[in-house]
Coordinates of all heavy atoms in Angstrom, one line a residue:
M1 N 30.3 -5.6 -130.3 CA 31.4 -6.3 -131.0 C 30.8 -7.4 -132.1 O 30.0 -8.2 -131.8 CB 32.2 -7.2 -130.0 CG 33.5 -7.7 -130.5 SD 34.8 -6.5 -130.6 CE 36.1 -7.4 -131.3
N2 N 31.3 -7.0 -133.3 CA 30.8 -8.0 -134.4 C 31.6 -9.3 -134.5 O 32.8 -9.2 -134.6 CB 30.9 -7.2 -135.6 CG 30.5 -8.1 -136.8 OD1 29.9 -9.1 -136.7 ND2 30.6 -7.4 -138.0
V3 N 31.0 -10.3 -134.2 CA 31.8 -11.7 -134.2 C 32.0 -12.2 -135.6 O 32.8 -13.2 -135.9 CB 31.1 -12.8 -133.3 CG1 31.1 -12.4 -131.9 CG2 29.6 -13.0 -133.8
E4 N 31.3 -11.6 -136.6 CA 31.5 -12.0 -138.0 C 32.7 -11.3 -138.5 O 32.6 -10.5 -139.4 CB 30.2 -11.6 -138.8 CG 29.1 -12.6 -138.6 CD 29.3 -14.0 -139.2 OE1 29.8 -14.1 -140.3 OE2 29.3 -14.9 -138.4
T5 N 33.8 -11.6 -138.1 CA 35.1 -10.9 -138.5 C 36.0 -11.9 -139.0 O 36.1 -13.0 -138.5 CB 35.7 -10.1 -137.2 OG1 37.0 -9.8 -137.6 CG2 35.9 -11.1 -136.1
I6 N 36.8 -11.6 -140.0 CA 37.8 -12.4 -140.6 C 39.0 -12.9 -139.5 O 39.6 -13.8 -139.7 CB 38.3 -11.8 -141.8 CG1 39.0 -12.9 -142.8 CG2 39.2 -10.6 -141.5 CD1 39.3 -12.4 -144.2
K7 N 39.1 -12.0 -138.5 CA 40.1 -12.4 -137.5 C 39.9 -13.7 -136.9 O 40.8 -14.2 -136.2 CB 40.0 -11.2 -136.4 CG 40.5 -10.0 -136.7 CD 40.7 -9.1 -135.5 CE 41.4 -7.7 -135.8 NZ 41.4 -6.9 -134.6
T8 N 38.8 -14.2 -137.0 CA 38.5 -15.6 -136.3 C 39.1 -16.7 -137.3 O 39.3 -17.8 -136.8 CB 37.1 -15.9 -136.3 OG1 36.6 -15.9 -137.5 CG2 36.4 -15.0 -135.3
G9 N 39.6 -16.3 -138.5 CA 40.2 -17.3 -139.4 C 39.1 -18.0 -140.3 O 39.4 -18.7 -141.1
K10 N 37.9 -17.4 -140.2 CA 36.8 -17.9 -141.1 C 36.4 -16.6 -141.9 O 36.1 -15.6 -141.2 CB 35.7 -18.5 -140.3 CG 34.7 -19.1 -141.2 CD 33.7 -19.8 -140.2 CE 32.4 -20.0 -141.2 NZ 31.7 -21.2 -140.8
C11 N 36.3 -16.8 -143.2 CA 35.9 -15.7 -144.0 C 34.4 -15.3 -143.7 O 33.6 -16.3 -144.0 CB 36.2 -16.1 -145.6 SG 35.6 -14.8 -146.6
P12 N 34.1 -14.1 -143.5 CA 32.7 -13.7 -143.3 C 31.8 -13.8 -144.5 O 30.7 -13.6 -144.5 CB 32.7 -12.3 -142.5 CG 34.0 -11.9 -142.9 CD 35.0 -13.1 -143.2
V13 N 32.6 -13.7 -145.8 CA 31.8 -13.6 -147.0 C 31.5 -15.0 -147.5 O 30.4 -15.2 -147.8 CB 32.7 -12.8 -148.0 CG1 32.0 -12.8 -149.3 CG2 32.9 -11.4 -147.5
C14 N 32.5 -15.9 -147.7 CA 32.3 -17.1 -148.3 C 32.4 -18.3 -147.3 O 32.0 -19.4 -147.6 CB 33.3 -17.4 -149.4 SG 34.9 -17.7 -148.9
G15 N 32.7 -18.1 -146.1 CA 32.7 -19.1 -145.1 C 34.0 -20.0 -145.1 O 34.0 -21.0 -144.4
S16 N 34.9 -19.8 -145.9 CA 36.1 -20.6 -146.1 C 37.0 -20.4 -144.9 O 37.0 -19.3 -144.3 CB 36.9 -20.1 -147.4 OG 38.1 -20.7 -147.4
N17 N 37.8 -21.4 -144.6 CA 38.8 -21.2 -143.6 C 40.2 -20.9 -144.1 O 41.2 -20.9 -143.4 CB 38.9 -22.6 -142.8 CG 37.7 -22.8 -141.9 OD1 37.1 -21.9 -141.3 ND2 37.2 -24.0 -142.0
E18 N 40.2 -20.6 -145.4 CA 41.5 -20.4 -146.1 C 41.8 -18.9 -145.9 O 41.8 -18.0 -146.9 CB 41.4 -20.6 -147.5 CG 41.6 -22.1 -148.0 CD 42.9 -22.7 -147.5 OE1 44.0 -22.2 -147.9 OE2 43.0 -23.6 -146.7
V19 N 42.1 -18.4 -144.7 CA 42.2 -17.1 -144.4 C 43.8 -16.9 -143.8 O 44.2 -17.7 -143.0 CB 41.3 -16.6 -143.3 CG1 41.7 -15.3 -142.8 CG2 40.0 -16.6 -143.9
Y20 N 44.3 -15.9 -144.3 CA 45.8 -15.6 -144.0 C 46.0 -14.1 -143.5 O 45.3 -13.3 -144.0 CB 46.8 -15.9 -145.2 CG 46.7 -17.4 -145.6 CD1 45.7 -17.8 -146.5 CD2 47.6 -18.3 -145.1 CE1 45.6 -19.2 -146.8 CE2 47.5 -19.6 -145.5 CZ 46.6 -20.0 -146.3 OH 46.4 -21.4 -146.6
D21 N 46.9 -14.0 -142.6 CA 47.3 -12.6 -142.2 C 48.7 -12.4 -142.0 O 49.5 -13.4 -142.1 CB 46.5 -12.3 -140.8 CG 47.2 -13.2 -139.7 OD1 48.4 -12.7 -139.2 OD2 46.6 -14.2 -139.2
N22 N 49.1 -11.1 -142.0 CA 50.5 -10.8 -142.1 C 50.9 -10.2 -140.6 O 52.0 -9.5 -140.7 CB 50.8 -9.8 -143.2 CG 50.2 -8.4 -143.0 OD1 49.4 -8.2 -142.2 ND2 50.5 -7.6 -143.9
R23 N 50.3 -10.5 -139.7 CA 50.6 -10.0 -138.3 C 52.1 -10.6 -138.0 O 52.4 -11.6 -138.2 CB 49.7 -10.6 -137.3 CG 48.3 -10.0 -137.3 CD 47.5 -10.5 -136.3 NE 47.3 -11.9 -136.5 CZ 46.6 -12.8 -135.6 NH1 46.4 -12.4 -134.4 NH2 46.5 -13.9 -135.9
G24 N 52.8 -9.5 -137.6 CA 54.2 -9.8 -137.1 C 55.1 -10.1 -138.2 O 56.4 -10.4 -138.0
K25 N 54.7 -9.9 -139.6 CA 55.7 -10.1 -140.6 C 56.3 -8.8 -140.9 O 56.0 -7.8 -140.6 CB 54.9 -10.6 -141.9 CG 54.2 -11.9 -141.7 CD 55.2 -13.1 -141.8 CE 54.5 -14.4 -141.8 NZ 55.5 -15.5 -141.6
S26 N 57.4 -8.9 -141.7 CA 58.3 -7.9 -142.1 C 57.4 -6.8 -142.9 O 56.5 -7.2 -143.7 CB 59.5 -8.3 -142.8 OG 59.7 -7.5 -144.0
A27 N 57.8 -5.6 -142.9 CA 57.1 -4.6 -143.5 C 57.2 -4.7 -145.1 O 56.4 -4.1 -145.8 CB 57.5 -3.2 -143.1
A28 N 58.4 -5.4 -145.4 CA 58.6 -5.4 -146.9 C 57.5 -6.1 -147.7 O 57.0 -7.1 -147.2 CB 59.9 -6.2 -147.1
N29 N 57.2 -5.6 -148.8 CA 56.1 -6.0 -149.6 C 54.6 -6.0 -149.1 O 53.7 -6.6 -149.6 CB 56.4 -7.6 -150.0 CG 57.7 -7.7 -150.7 OD1 58.2 -6.8 -151.5 ND2 58.5 -8.6 -150.4
H30 N 54.5 -5.4 -147.9 CA 53.1 -5.4 -147.4 C 52.9 -3.8 -147.1 O 53.7 -3.0 -146.9 CB 53.1 -6.0 -146.0 CG 53.3 -7.4 -146.0 ND1 52.4 -8.3 -146.5 CD2 54.4 -8.2 -145.6 CE1 52.9 -9.6 -146.3 NE2 54.1 -9.5 -146.0
R31 N 51.6 -3.6 -147.3 CA 51.1 -2.2 -147.0 C 50.9 -2.3 -145.4 O 49.8 -2.7 -145.0 CB 49.9 -1.9 -147.8 CG 49.3 -0.6 -147.5 CD 48.5 -0.1 -148.6 NE 47.2 -0.7 -148.5 CZ 46.1 -0.1 -148.2 NH1 46.1 1.3 -147.7 NH2 44.8 -0.6 -148.1
K32 N 51.9 -1.8 -144.7 CA 51.9 -2.1 -143.2 C 51.6 -0.8 -142.4 O 51.3 -1.0 -141.2 CB 53.3 -2.5 -142.8 CG 53.5 -4.0 -143.1 CD 52.7 -4.8 -142.2 CE 53.5 -5.2 -140.9 NZ 52.7 -6.1 -140.0
F33 N 51.6 0.3 -143.0 CA 51.3 1.5 -142.1 C 50.3 2.5 -142.6 O 50.1 2.7 -143.9 CB 52.7 2.3 -142.0 CG 53.8 1.5 -141.4 CD1 54.7 1.0 -142.2 CD2 53.9 1.3 -140.0 CE1 55.8 0.3 -141.6 CE2 54.8 0.4 -139.4 CZ 55.8 0.0 -140.3
L34 N 49.6 3.0 -141.7 CA 48.6 4.0 -142.2 C 49.0 5.4 -141.4 O 49.2 5.3 -140.2 CB 47.2 3.6 -141.7 CG 46.0 4.6 -141.8 CD1 45.8 4.9 -143.2 CD2 44.8 4.2 -141.1
M35 N 49.3 6.4 -142.1 CA 49.7 7.6 -141.4 C 48.6 8.3 -140.7 O 47.5 8.4 -141.3 CB 50.4 8.6 -142.5 CG 51.5 8.1 -143.3 SD 52.9 7.4 -142.2 CE 53.4 8.9 -141.4
V36 N 48.8 8.6 -139.5 CA 47.9 9.3 -138.7 C 48.1 10.8 -138.8 O 47.2 11.6 -139.0 CB 47.9 8.8 -137.2 CG1 47.0 9.7 -136.3 CG2 47.6 7.4 -137.1
S37 N 49.5 11.2 -138.7 CA 49.9 12.5 -138.9 C 51.3 12.5 -139.5 O 51.7 11.3 -139.9 CB 49.9 13.3 -137.5 OG 50.9 12.7 -136.8
A38 N 52.0 13.5 -139.6 CA 53.3 13.5 -140.3 C 54.3 12.5 -139.6 O 55.1 11.9 -140.4 CB 53.9 14.9 -140.2
F39 N 54.2 12.3 -138.3 CA 55.1 11.5 -137.6 C 54.5 10.4 -136.9 O 55.3 9.6 -136.3 CB 55.9 12.4 -136.6 CG 56.6 13.5 -137.3 CD1 56.2 14.8 -137.2 CD2 57.8 13.3 -138.1 CE1 56.8 15.9 -137.8 CE2 58.4 14.4 -138.7 CZ 57.9 15.6 -138.6
K40 N 53.3 10.2 -137.0 CA 52.7 9.1 -136.3 C 51.9 8.1 -137.3 O 51.3 8.6 -138.3 CB 51.7 9.6 -135.2 CG 52.3 10.4 -134.2 CD 51.2 10.7 -133.1 CE 51.6 11.8 -132.1 NZ 52.9 11.7 -131.6
S41 N 52.0 6.9 -137.1 CA 51.3 5.9 -138.0 C 50.9 4.8 -137.2 O 51.3 4.3 -136.2 CB 52.3 5.5 -139.1 OG 53.2 4.8 -138.5
F42 N 49.8 4.2 -137.8 CA 49.3 2.9 -137.2 C 50.0 1.8 -137.9 O 50.2 1.8 -139.1 CB 47.8 2.7 -137.5 CG 46.9 3.6 -136.6 CD1 45.9 4.4 -137.2 CD2 46.9 3.5 -135.2 CE1 45.1 5.1 -136.4 CE2 46.1 4.2 -134.4 CZ 45.1 5.0 -135.0
T43 N 50.2 0.7 -137.2 CA 50.6 -0.6 -137.8 C 49.4 -1.2 -138.3 O 48.4 -1.4 -137.6 CB 51.4 -1.4 -136.9 OG1 52.6 -0.6 -136.4 CG2 51.9 -2.6 -137.5
L44 N 49.4 -1.7 -139.4 CA 48.2 -2.4 -140.0 C 48.5 -3.9 -140.1 O 49.5 -4.4 -140.4 CB 48.0 -2.0 -141.5 CG 47.6 -0.5 -141.7 CD1 47.4 -0.2 -143.1 CD2 46.4 -0.1 -140.9
E45 N 47.3 -4.6 -139.8 CA 47.4 -6.1 -140.0 C 46.3 -6.4 -141.1 O 45.1 -6.0 -141.1 CB 46.9 -6.7 -138.7 CG 48.0 -6.5 -137.6 CD 47.6 -7.0 -136.2 OE1 46.4 -7.2 -136.0 OE2 48.4 -7.0 -135.3
S46 N 46.8 -7.1 -142.0 CA 46.0 -7.4 -143.2 C 45.6 -8.9 -143.2 O 46.4 -9.8 -142.8 CB 46.7 -7.1 -144.5 OG 47.3 -5.8 -144.5
Y47 N 44.3 -9.1 -143.6 CA 43.8 -10.5 -143.7 C 43.2 -10.6 -145.0 O 42.5 -9.7 -145.6 CB 42.6 -10.5 -142.7 CG 43.0 -10.6 -141.3 CD1 43.4 -9.3 -140.6 CD2 43.1 -11.8 -140.5 CE1 43.8 -9.3 -139.2 CE2 43.5 -11.7 -139.1 CZ 43.8 -10.5 -138.6 OH 44.3 -10.4 -137.3
V48 N 43.5 -11.8 -145.6 CA 42.9 -12.0 -147.0 C 42.3 -13.5 -147.0 O 42.9 -14.5 -146.3 CB 44.0 -11.8 -148.1 CG1 45.3 -12.9 -147.9 CG2 43.4 -12.0 -149.4
C49 N 41.2 -13.7 -147.6 CA 40.7 -14.9 -147.8 C 41.1 -15.4 -149.2 O 40.8 -14.7 -150.2 CB 39.2 -14.8 -147.8 SG 38.3 -16.4 -148.4
T50 N 41.8 -16.5 -149.3 CA 42.4 -16.9 -150.6 C 41.2 -17.7 -151.5 O 41.5 -18.0 -152.6 CB 43.6 -17.8 -150.4 OG1 43.3 -18.9 -149.7 CG2 44.8 -17.0 -149.9
A51 N 40.2 -17.8 -150.8 CA 39.1 -18.5 -151.7 C 38.3 -17.6 -152.5 O 38.0 -17.8 -153.5 CB 38.2 -19.4 -150.7
C52 N 37.9 -16.4 -151.8 CA 37.1 -15.4 -152.5 C 37.8 -14.1 -152.8 O 37.2 -13.3 -153.5 CB 35.8 -15.2 -151.9 SG 35.8 -14.3 -150.2
G53 N 38.9 -13.8 -152.2 CA 39.5 -12.5 -152.3 C 39.2 -11.4 -151.4 O 39.6 -10.3 -151.5
Y54 N 38.4 -11.9 -150.5 CA 38.0 -10.8 -149.4 C 39.3 -10.3 -148.6 O 40.0 -11.2 -148.3 CB 37.0 -11.3 -148.5 CG 36.6 -10.5 -147.4 CD1 35.6 -9.4 -147.7 CD2 36.9 -10.6 -146.1 CE1 35.2 -8.5 -146.7 CE2 36.4 -9.8 -145.1 CZ 35.6 -8.8 -145.4 OH 35.1 -7.9 -144.3
F55 N 39.3 -9.1 -148.5 CA 40.6 -8.4 -148.0 C 40.1 -7.4 -146.9 O 39.3 -6.6 -147.2 CB 41.4 -7.8 -149.0 CG 42.6 -7.0 -148.6 CD1 43.7 -7.7 -148.2 CD2 42.6 -5.6 -148.6 CE1 44.7 -7.1 -147.6 CE2 43.7 -4.9 -148.3 CZ 44.8 -5.7 -147.8
K56 N 40.8 -7.5 -145.8 CA 40.4 -6.6 -144.7 C 41.7 -6.2 -143.9 O 42.5 -6.9 -143.6 CB 39.4 -7.2 -143.8 CG 39.0 -6.5 -142.6 CD 37.7 -5.8 -142.9 CE 37.2 -5.2 -141.6 NZ 36.2 -4.1 -142.1
E57 N 41.7 -4.9 -143.6 CA 42.8 -4.5 -142.7 C 42.3 -3.9 -141.4 O 41.2 -3.4 -141.3 CB 43.6 -3.3 -143.4 CG 44.3 -3.7 -144.6 CD 44.9 -2.5 -145.4 OE1 44.3 -1.5 -145.6 OE2 46.2 -2.6 -145.6
F58 N 43.1 -4.2 -140.4 CA 42.9 -3.7 -139.0 C 44.0 -2.9 -138.5 O 45.2 -3.2 -138.8 CB 42.5 -4.9 -138.0 CG 41.2 -5.5 -138.4 CD1 41.3 -6.6 -139.2 CD2 40.0 -5.1 -137.8 CE1 40.1 -7.3 -139.5 CE2 38.9 -5.8 -138.0 CZ 38.9 -6.9 -138.9
I59 N 43.7 -1.9 -137.6 CA 44.9 -1.4 -136.8 C 45.4 -2.4 -135.9 O 44.4 -3.1 -135.3 CB 44.4 -0.2 -136.0 CG1 43.7 0.8 -137.1 CG2 45.6 0.5 -135.3 CD1 44.6 1.4 -138.1
S60 N 46.7 -2.5 -135.6 CA 47.1 -3.6 -134.6 C 46.5 -3.4 -133.3 O 46.3 -2.2 -132.9 CB 48.6 -3.5 -134.6 OG 49.1 -2.4 -133.9
D61 N 46.3 -4.4 -132.5 CA 45.8 -4.3 -131.1 C 46.7 -3.4 -130.3 O 46.1 -2.7 -129.5 CB 45.8 -5.7 -130.6 CG 44.7 -6.6 -131.1 OD1 43.7 -6.1 -131.8 OD2 44.7 -7.8 -130.9
E62 N 48.0 -3.5 -130.6 CA 49.0 -2.7 -129.8 C 48.7 -1.2 -130.0 O 48.6 -0.4 -129.0 CB 50.4 -3.0 -130.2 CG 51.4 -2.8 -129.2 CD 52.7 -3.3 -129.5 OE1 52.9 -4.6 -129.4 OE2 53.5 -2.7 -130.1
D63 N 48.4 -0.8 -131.2 CA 48.2 0.6 -131.5 C 46.8 1.1 -130.9 O 46.6 2.2 -130.7 CB 48.3 0.8 -133.1 CG 49.7 0.9 -133.5 OD1 50.6 0.9 -132.6 OD2 49.9 1.1 -134.8
M64 N 45.9 0.1 -130.9 CA 44.6 0.6 -130.4 C 44.6 0.9 -129.0 O 43.7 1.5 -128.4 CB 43.5 -0.6 -130.7 CG 43.2 -0.8 -132.2 SD 42.6 0.7 -132.8 CE 41.1 1.1 -132.0
K65 N 45.7 0.3 -128.3 CA 45.9 0.7 -126.9 C 46.7 1.9 -126.6 O 47.0 2.4 -125.5 CB 46.5 -0.5 -126.2 CG 45.7 -1.7 -126.1 CD 46.4 -2.9 -125.3 CE 45.7 -4.2 -125.7 NZ 46.7 -5.3 -125.8
N66 N 47.2 2.4 -127.8 CA 48.1 3.6 -127.7 C 47.3 4.9 -127.7 O 46.8 5.4 -128.7 CB 49.0 3.6 -129.0 CG 50.1 4.7 -129.0 OD1 49.8 5.8 -128.4 ND2 51.3 4.4 -129.6
E67 N 47.1 5.4 -126.5 CA 46.2 6.5 -126.3 C 46.6 7.9 -127.2 O 45.8 8.6 -127.6 CB 46.0 6.9 -124.8 CG 45.2 5.8 -124.1 CD 45.0 6.1 -122.7 OE1 45.4 7.3 -122.2 OE2 44.9 5.2 -121.9
K68 N 47.9 8.0 -127.3 CA 48.4 9.1 -128.1 C 48.0 9.0 -129.4 O 47.5 10.1 -130.1 CB 50.0 9.2 -128.0 CG 50.5 9.8 -126.7 CD 52.0 10.0 -126.7 CE 52.4 10.5 -125.4 NZ 53.9 10.5 -125.2
L69 N 48.2 7.9 -130.0 CA 47.7 7.7 -131.4 C 46.2 7.7 -131.7 O 45.7 8.5 -132.5 CB 48.1 6.3 -131.9 CG 49.5 6.1 -132.4 CD1 49.8 4.6 -132.7 CD2 49.7 6.9 -133.7
I70 N 45.4 7.3 -130.8 CA 44.0 7.4 -130.8 C 43.5 8.8 -130.6 O 42.7 9.2 -131.4 CB 43.4 6.4 -129.8 CG1 43.8 4.9 -129.9 CG2 41.9 6.5 -129.8 CD1 43.5 4.3 -131.3
S71 N 44.1 9.5 -129.7 CA 43.7 10.9 -129.4 C 44.2 11.8 -130.6 O 43.4 12.7 -131.0 CB 44.2 11.4 -128.1 OG 45.6 11.5 -128.1
K72 N 45.2 11.4 -131.3 CA 45.6 12.2 -132.5 C 44.5 11.9 -133.6 O 44.2 13.0 -134.3 CB 47.0 11.6 -133.0 CG 47.5 12.5 -134.1 CD 48.0 13.8 -133.6 CE 48.5 14.7 -134.7 NZ 48.6 16.1 -134.4
V73 N 44.1 10.8 -133.7 CA 43.0 10.6 -134.7 C 41.7 11.3 -134.4 O 41.1 12.0 -135.2 CB 42.6 9.0 -134.8 CG1 41.4 8.7 -135.7 CG2 43.9 8.4 -135.4
K74 N 41.4 11.3 -133.1 CA 40.2 11.9 -132.7 C 40.4 13.5 -132.8 O 39.3 14.2 -133.1 CB 39.9 11.6 -131.2 CG 39.3 10.2 -131.0 CD 39.0 10.0 -129.6 CE 38.5 8.6 -129.4 NZ 38.2 8.2 -128.0
E75 N 41.6 14.0 -132.8 CA 41.8 15.4 -132.9 C 41.7 15.8 -134.5 O 41.2 16.8 -134.8 CB 43.2 15.6 -132.4 CG 43.6 17.0 -132.1 CD 45.1 17.1 -131.6 OE1 45.4 16.3 -130.7 OE2 46.0 17.7 -132.2
D76 N 42.4 14.9 -135.3 CA 42.7 15.3 -136.8 C 41.6 14.7 -137.7 O 41.4 15.5 -138.8 CB 44.0 14.9 -137.2 CG 45.1 15.7 -136.6 OD1 44.8 16.6 -135.8 OD2 46.3 15.4 -136.9
W77 N 41.0 13.7 -137.4 CA 40.0 13.1 -138.4 C 38.7 13.5 -138.2 O 38.3 14.0 -137.1 CB 40.3 11.5 -138.3 CG 41.6 11.0 -138.8 CD1 42.8 11.6 -138.8 CD2 41.8 9.7 -139.2 NE1 43.8 10.8 -139.3 CE2 43.3 9.6 -139.6 CE3 41.0 8.6 -139.5 CZ2 43.8 8.4 -140.0 CZ3 41.5 7.4 -140.0 CH2 43.0 7.3 -140.2
N78 N 37.8 13.3 -139.1 CA 36.5 13.5 -139.0 C 35.8 12.5 -138.1 O 36.1 11.3 -138.3 CB 35.7 13.6 -140.3 CG 36.3 14.6 -141.2 OD1 36.5 15.7 -140.8 ND2 36.6 14.2 -142.5
K79 N 34.9 12.7 -137.3 CA 34.1 11.8 -136.5 C 33.0 11.4 -137.5 O 32.2 12.2 -138.1 CB 33.5 12.4 -135.4 CG 32.3 11.5 -134.7 CD 33.1 10.8 -133.5 CE 32.1 10.2 -132.5 NZ 31.3 9.2 -133.2
T80 N 32.9 10.0 -137.8 CA 32.0 9.6 -138.8 C 30.6 9.5 -138.2 O 30.4 8.9 -137.3 CB 32.5 8.2 -139.3 OG1 33.7 8.3 -139.8 CG2 31.5 7.6 -140.4
S81 N 29.7 10.2 -138.9 CA 28.4 10.3 -138.3 C 27.3 9.3 -139.0 O 26.2 9.2 -138.4 CB 27.9 11.7 -138.5 OG 27.7 12.0 -139.8
G82 N 27.8 8.7 -140.0 CA 26.7 7.9 -140.7 C 25.8 8.8 -141.6 O 24.8 8.2 -141.9
G83 N 26.1 10.0 -141.8 CA 25.2 10.8 -142.6 C 25.5 10.5 -144.0 O 26.0 9.5 -144.5
K84 N 25.0 11.5 -144.9 CA 25.0 11.3 -146.4 C 26.5 11.3 -146.8 O 27.3 12.0 -146.2 CB 24.2 12.3 -147.1 CG 24.7 13.7 -146.8 CD 23.7 14.7 -147.5 CE 24.1 16.1 -147.2 NZ 23.1 17.1 -147.4
I85 N 26.7 10.6 -147.9 CA 28.1 10.4 -148.4 C 28.3 11.6 -149.4 O 27.5 12.0 -150.3 CB 28.2 9.1 -149.1 CG1 28.2 8.0 -148.0 CG2 29.6 8.9 -149.8 CD1 27.9 6.7 -148.6
G86 N 29.5 12.2 -149.4 CA 29.8 13.2 -150.4 C 29.4 14.6 -150.2 O 28.8 15.1 -149.5
Ligands
ZN1 ZN1 36.2 -15.8 -148.6

């Protein structure tokens, strides 16, 4: 587990505490969903550092516990191997 995450409220890039997230906010005006398949999607939580512009998205904790969604990803997506790009 990487503790250098913006989720702590501290920017891992510039060290600022000016970090904001949109957890629990309305979907309007936010990029809130990541499609997993035609009918399934992850809810995204976005974090932004207003000091340096660092921006990071995470799948919501709730969706990470959703075994159906996770198994759909494992089924449909590529397993990232860390090999060469492209
Ligand atoms: Zn920052």
Side-chain angles (χ1 to χ4, degrees):
M1 190 82 182
N2 184 3
V3 293
E4 283 293 305
T5 170
I6 198 166
K7 281 186 176 183
T8 60
K10 185 177 167 149
C11 177
V13 175
C14 72
S16 168
N17 292 314
E18 284 299 304
V19 170
Y20 296 83
D21 68 74
N22 68 353
R23 287 179 297 166
K25 296 287 184 186
S26 133
N29 303 322
H30 296 284
R31 183 155 79 103
K32 280 289 270 183
F33 300 103
L34 173 67
M35 298 311 293
V36 174
S37 67
F39 302 105
K40 293 186 196 310
S41 64
F42 282 130
T43 301
L44 298 177
E45 294 172 348
S46 305
Y47 292 75
V48 65
C49 169
T50 59
C52 74
Y54 180 72
F55 174 72
K56 179 93 178 166
E57 288 176 312
F58 293 89
I59 306 302
S60 71
D61 291 343
E62 205 168 280
D63 283 356
M64 287 308 293
K65 290 179 202 145
N66 184 329
E67 284 174 28
K68 279 185 183 166
L69 275 174
I70 301 301
S71 62
K72 188 70 184 164
V73 169
K74 289 182 176 177
E75 194 181 308
D76 287 1
W77 292 26
N78 300 312
K79 174 95 167 58
T80 303
S81 66
K84 63 184 174 195
I85 296 165

